[in-house]
Amino acid sequence: MEPEFLLFLAALVIGGTVAGSFSGLIGIGGSIILVPLQFYLLTRAGYPADIALKVSIATALCFTFFTSFSSAYNHSKHKAVLWKKALLMGVFGFMFSFVGGYIASLLDAGWLSITFGVVVLVASLRFMTMKNANDDPEEMSTNPILFAVCGCIMGLLSGLTGIGGGLILIPLVIFLVKMPLRQAIGTSSATIIFTAFGGVISYIINGAGIEGLPPYSFGYINIVMWIALVIPGIIFAAIGAKTSHRINQKYVRAAFSVITLLVGIGMILKGVFMFP
């Protein structure tokens, strides 16, 4: 193998490790890290920005779909997943993620990059400043409409940007339905399974027949990149989920928020500079 390709794979493995760890620790799918990383690697390899960004989003969503199984399973063992709520939000998240993926396939790279950056920036600021106002599960809302609304919002933004949904969903369920933080993280991991799946199907369908995709692409999903990401991602999602119940979430969330703030600003600037 050529040295450049080995470095390409090594960067993806490191990215999958970091993204998987955060997925398990705080219920975040990892796409916030993986989309910019893949976008940078693909554009550096010579792919057009439009192709590179859509492949990055689709492949990150596919990564999120599989790592969420590992994360949700481990959170479930600690009784931190509310499965009925996750299923309700997941059904609506699946449908709206499919729609979001379709909309993303119609946008050019500039607008898509700005959209990604704005969603990350706003959600990151909310995630950074959120405080869990309720520690009692008995105070949580039982209104299914509110959970459906959470699923719809998360699904649409997830399909549009490739973000699995945790960064969006966790603040939503904490403030809209008053779900305790521990259950919000675990339930988010389970809901992302459904949401990411909807986006994955959408990107496969909408990427079929597109010319100029990287080798071994299935629709907009690149299989080689996905394998390099998902193997370390699944392993470290499980480790992160186990560790999350033994460490102070405040410090993890603070570190993650700083990273996502920088990512959000960077993607907005990239999108702006793509316009003539």
Side-chain angles (χ1 to χ4, degrees), residues 96-120:
F96 277 79
S97 181
F98 187 92
V99 173
Y102 172 72
I103 295 172
S105 70
L106 302 177
L107 296 176
D108 62 35
W111 286 113
L112 201 52
S113 183
I114 290 172
T115 301
F116 180 92
V118 169
V119 171
V120 169

Side-chain angles (χ1 to χ4, degrees), residues 45-61:
Y47 288 96
D50 189 60
I51 292 291
L53 188 51
K54 289 170 185 175
V55 169
S56 300
I57 290 173
T59 306
L61 262 181

Side-chain angles (χ1 to χ4, degrees), residues 3-122:
E4 286 188 5
F5 182 67
L6 291 175
L7 288 173
F8 183 91
L9 289 180
L12 292 173
V13 169
I14 293 170
T17 300
V18 174
S21 299
F22 276 120
S23 174
L25 282 168
I26 50 179
I28 300 296
S31 297
I32 291 170
I33 296 168
L34 297 183
V35 170
L37 172 64
Q38 292 177 97
F39 182 54
Y40 168 76
L41 293 173
L42 286 171
T43 51
R44 185 173 178 179
Y47 288 96
D50 189 60
I51 292 291
L53 188 51
K54 289 170 185 175
V55 169
S56 300
I57 290 173
T59 306
L61 262 181
C62 193
F63 164 91
T64 298
F65 172 65
F66 283 90
T67 55
S68 292
F69 278 102
S70 174
S71 182
Y73 171 73
N74 283 281
H75 282 297
S76 183
K77 288 197 298 185
H78 290 86
K79 302 186 186 303
V81 178
L82 306 177
W83 283 105
K84 290 183 179 179
K85 305 294 189 295
L87 181 59
L88 175 59
M89 291 187 291
V91 168
F92 285 92
F94 173 89
M95 293 186 291
F96 277 79
S97 181
F98 187 92
V99 173
Y102 172 72
I103 295 172
S105 70
L106 302 177
L107 296 176
D108 62 35
W111 286 113
L112 201 52
S113 183
I114 290 172
T115 301
F116 180 92
V118 169
V119 171
V120 169
L121 201 57
V122 172

Side-chain angles (χ1 to χ4, degrees), residues 126-251:
R126 197 72 197 93
F127 191 78
M128 182 190 297
T129 58
M130 73 178 182
K131 296 179 181 178
N132 192 25
N134 169 43
D135 289 319
D136 183 4
E138 297 297 323
E139 295 181 16
M140 183 174 55
S141 173
T142 58
N143 187 342
I145 295 176
L146 291 179
F147 285 96
V149 168
C150 290
C152 292
I153 295 172
M154 180 192 71
L156 183 63
L157 295 178
S158 175
L160 189 59
T161 63
I163 299 171
L167 189 68
I168 302 161
L169 184 62
I170 293 173
L172 269 178
V173 295
I174 284 177
F175 291 99
L176 198 58
V177 301
K178 300 189 182 303
M179 186 181 290
L181 177 60
R182 183 168 171 269
Q183 283 73 29
I185 292 171
T187 305
S188 169
S189 295
T191 306
I192 289 170
I193 295 172
F194 302 94
T195 307
F197 187 48
V200 165
I201 293 175
S202 184
Y203 279 102
I204 289 174
I205 293 173
N206 292 301
I210 299 295
E211 295 183 359
L213 293 171
Y216 307 105
S217 291
F218 186 44
Y220 280 117
I221 296 170
N222 185 261
I223 303 302
V224 174
M225 295 172 66
W226 173 75
I227 291 173
L229 293 169
V230 80
I231 293 175
I234 289 175
I235 294 170
F236 281 88
I239 294 172
K242 291 177 182 177
T243 307
S244 71
H245 299 275
R246 300 195 298 268
I247 65 173
N248 192 325
Q249 287 286 322
K250 179 175 67 175
Y251 300 115

